[in-house]
Amino acid sequence: MALSYPPPLTVPASYPFHFLPSSSDPPYDILRNHPSLSLLSNCKTHQSLREIHAQMIKTGLHNTNYALSKLLEFCVVSPHFDGLPYAVSVFETIQEPNQLIWNTMLRGLSSSSDPASALEMYLRMVSLGYLPNSYTFPFLLKSCAKSKTFEEGKQIHTQVVKLGCDLDRYVHTSLISMYARNGSLEDARKVFDTSSHRDVVSCTALITGYASRGDVLSARKMFDEIPDKDVVSWNAMITGYIENGSCKEALELFKEMMRRNVRPDEGTLVNVVSACAQSGDIELGRQVHSWVDDDHGFSSSLKIVNALIDLYSKCGDVETASGLFEGLSYKDVVSWNTLIGGYTHVSLYKEALLLFQEMLRSGESPDDVTMLSVLPACAHLGAIDIGRWIHVYIDKRLKGITNASSLRTSLIDMYAKCGDIEAATQVFNSMPNRSLSSWNAMIFGFAMHGRANAAFDHFSKMRKNGVEPDDITFVGLLSACSHSGLLDLGRHIFKSVTEDYNITPKLEHYGCMIDLLGHSGLFKEAEEMIHTMPMEPDGVIWCSLLKACKMHGNLELAESFAQKLIKIEPENSGSYVLLSNIYATAGRWEDVARIRGVLNGKGMKKVPGCSSIEVDSVVHEFIIGNKFHPQSREIYGMLEEMDMLLEEAGFVPDTTEVLQEMEERWKEEALSHHSEKLAIAFGLISTKPGSKLTIVKNLRVCRNCHEATKLISKIYKREIVARDRTRFHHFRDGVCSCSDYW
């Protein structure tokens, strides 16, 4: 689906008529066919608009109200750019605007991001002696509906009745919509019932009102009572279902619409594809895609293509999504956002960042939606340099937006997950209005950095500020206890969830407590808690207990827990690998071979350890024994130096961490080539002496690398921050922040 646009605009250089200021406009036919006005239909850019306006001034066309009204109308309805600011600047130059010009400005302002400004313009209009008409009121009522200005809406209703405009069908429908969107369905229904205009348009306005309040049953009843439904009424009911989370019903209604041969419009198709994306119904989405491609006049619709990109990416078919995206000759910010968000949704974080960088190179300006998709990718990859650039961009370019709190919370999360909890704290402290999500993000950040005291201090400040905690807050607090081994405090918090805050514990709360009990070797108490759970334990819980068995050398329980884990997640290779490692630690090599045979038989492979480090805004990834990096020779040279200095410092490799039968010297070499060691070596040769290194690993850091990294931090006088699968480790001067508890 390729979108193409016409060649650049050519503005006529001259025209035989020059219009002078006059109390009345020249003949309509002369104005209507003027070349400058005809060019507006092909105008796609601000520059072209300025050129057309300049030509109008040159020919004196700006002295006619007709031409000015057409220029303003184009500005306020242009689908290609936001022309409202330009319209306002032109309007301010008009000495005696007529009623059409006032109405045009009210139309633009009522559709803007600040609809209440239409009401201010209306007051100005009335104060200058202009009376509203039946064309004025729909824009004013729309403004009241969008800005939720109920009292002003009622006052305008009074003026409507006073001027006799309540008999106009468009004003009547706008009144219903205004009351409905302000939550006063009783008034909306009263307007509907007392009018003779009970047509499909007014019925549709009432349907939208019922649906917006969550009353889909009343909306559907009204919909079913419409004798001759048009596409707008079908769209209203489909949208109502979608907005209330009833995607299945929305899709069934769409099928019925198609069976009745009601031709969908662009809005229908966008909504239906979005419903398919939300419900995961990729097959129906493909059918809609096929229908669009079958020459029904929608294949060039950018909105539909964007919706299809969203559908395929959310359903995991990123190849088709990417193909649609690449096929666009013109991409708007929504196109870029949709695919970037799709990559993030399916955990293709590196692809998300690469596409974001391509977006910047294309000249498209990212918005708040872009950043809310890119920041999680930065957080996952540890790409803090890119995250910092985004932070600066937000401060400079995205001030005052409605999503400001969400953006700040995402920045907190990004900094915390990239290892800079101090920067996260600075962002939090700079927020004038802190949402519950921002408090929770800080609590989780402190928890993953092993700073339980800071997490609980933050919780106390949150309560003093009158912010009520939710279930997510307590997952963060229990996680802080788990990472710091605070068993008694964890028990107290878990009890407090129900007794003090009347929150029903969820699986995540039980998971944190069971992990804490298992880590403490209290397997009996952990199993008792599992038996009291109102829900079945998931794989995460059994996996945490299996890891605890490895830590405490409890082979018997490990086999029992492994069986339960495999039963729940038979295709998860991690459960087999973990059990195999426990057997290897116990020296039961026959069982190791048996488990690996099962893995091979199922075609499953062990997830390799992968570590990454960001240098100069580029994320470099390393896998154990990897020699494909362009600087491999220098990296392995640094590894040799590190091993030599570690040996001189008295470090003895812990070869029990190598869970294979091999000679001791090969075990030591295998440990030396672990992915985190490669990433550290690369960091040492690629950064200035004394600068901090931040490593991200996809698996839990092994005991040998943990001990080695402590010494490396001391030898090279570097702070090394390592994020493994569950938490952060801050290595400095030979000591780790986890106090060897992880």
Side-chain angles (χ1 to χ4, degrees), residues 408-424:
R408 296 286 161 185
T409 302
S410 290
L411 282 170
I412 291 168
D413 182 67
M414 181 276 296
Y415 278 123
K417 288 179 178 175
C418 287
D420 195 343
I421 193 67
E422 288 75 21

Side-chain angles (χ1 to χ4, degrees), residues 38-56:
S38 65
L39 285 173
L40 285 172
S41 60
N42 291 320
C43 180
K44 300 285 190 300
T45 66
H46 274 110
Q47 180 60 33
S48 297
L49 177 64
R50 284 190 288 269
E51 291 173 358
I52 294 171
H53 190 196
Q55 187 68 20
M56 289 173 62

Side-chain angles (χ1 to χ4, degrees), residues 510-524:
Y510 283 103
C512 288
M513 260 323 289
I514 290 167
D515 179 63
L516 183 53
L517 291 168
H519 211 107
S520 303
L522 300 174
F523 294 106
K524 184 177 180 181

Side-chain angles (χ1 to χ4, degrees), residues 49 92 107 136 222 243 367-368 511 515 575 608 685 696 728:
L49 177 64
E92 296 300 338
R107 177 185 181 182
T136 311
M222 175 64 70
E243 289 178 348
D367 60 12
D368 54 322
D515 179 63
S575 53
I685 65 171
V696 176
F728 273 92

Side-chain angles (χ1 to χ4, degrees), residues 416-656:
K417 288 179 178 175
C418 287
D420 195 343
I421 193 67
E422 288 75 21
T425 305
Q426 288 173 7
V427 173
F428 178 83
N429 290 337
S430 71
M431 294 177 70
N433 299 303
R434 295 160 188 154
S435 64
L436 175 59
S437 296
S438 62
W439 286 97
N440 285 346
M442 282 305 305
I443 289 171
F444 271 91
F446 286 128
M448 74 175 74
H449 283 266
R451 294 175 58 178
N453 289 338
F456 280 95
D457 286 345
H458 217 65
F459 177 68
S460 297
K461 291 176 185 176
M462 170 182 155
R463 299 295 292 117
K464 287 177 182 176
N465 277 270
V467 180
E468 284 294 320
D470 62 2
D471 58 304
I472 298 172
T473 312
F474 288 104
V475 173
L477 293 174
L478 288 169
S479 177
C481 294
S482 180
H483 288 315
S484 299
L486 302 174
L487 180 59
D488 291 337
L489 183 56
R491 285 179 174 139
H492 170 74
I493 291 296
F494 187 81
K495 186 178 180 182
S496 178
V497 170
T498 51
E499 293 185 358
D500 298 333
Y501 294 94
N502 199 28
I503 295 174
T504 302
K506 294 183 178 179
L507 190 62
E508 293 81 3
H509 301 96
Y510 283 103
C512 288
M513 260 323 289
I514 290 167
D515 179 63
L516 183 53
L517 291 168
H519 211 107
S520 303
L522 300 174
F523 294 106
K524 184 177 180 181
E525 188 176 342
E527 288 183 286
E528 287 173 354
M529 178 168 280
I530 288 173
H531 293 316
T532 64
M533 286 168 53
M535 72 286 288
E536 289 296 317
D538 63 357
V540 175
I541 286 177
W542 293 120
C543 188
S544 70
L545 287 175
L546 197 54
K547 290 176 180 176
C549 288
K550 181 177 184 293
M551 184 188 308
H552 292 282
N554 194 324
L555 185 57
E556 183 180 347
L557 275 178
E559 291 177 319
S560 172
F561 294 149
Q563 288 176 3
K564 291 181 172 67
L565 178 56
I566 290 168
K567 185 178 180 181
I568 295 174
E569 300 177 352
E571 302 305 315
N572 182 0
S573 64
S575 53
Y576 294 95
V577 171
L578 193 50
L579 182 59
S580 172
N581 291 347
I582 293 171
Y583 282 137
T585 302
R588 289 173 52 171
W589 299 108
E590 289 182 4
D591 288 314
V592 171
R594 176 175 59 81
I595 295 295
R596 288 182 179 167
V598 172
L599 274 172
N600 292 333
K602 289 178 173 284
M604 295 189 291
K605 293 183 178 180
K606 176 183 177 181
V607 176
C610 177
S611 296
S612 62
I613 181 171
E614 184 188 35
V615 175
D616 296 331
S617 301
V618 178
V619 177
H620 299 260
E621 294 182 332
F622 299 90
I623 297 174
I624 183 171
N626 185 312
K627 293 189 177 181
F628 297 107
H629 193 278
Q631 292 176 262
S632 278
R633 180 175 295 180
E634 294 90 339
I635 292 168
Y636 278 87
M638 174 54 72
L639 267 182
E640 289 182 13
E641 179 187 306
M642 287 161 54
D643 288 340
M644 180 185 71
L645 293 175
L646 283 169
E647 186 177 357
E648 290 177 0
F651 177 71
V652 179
D654 182 3
T655 56
T656 61

Side-chain angles (χ1 to χ4, degrees), residues 203-204 207 217-227 229-230 232-238 241 253 256 260:
C203 288
T204 301
I207 289 168
L217 292 178
S218 296
R220 183 58 191 260
K221 183 181 178 183
M222 175 64 70
F223 174 79
D224 290 336
E225 289 173 359
I226 302 175
K229 304 175 182 69
D230 62 7
V232 180
S233 56
W234 285 94
N235 287 354
M237 195 64 240
I238 289 171
Y241 276 132
L253 191 61
E256 183 183 341
R260 294 195 185 188

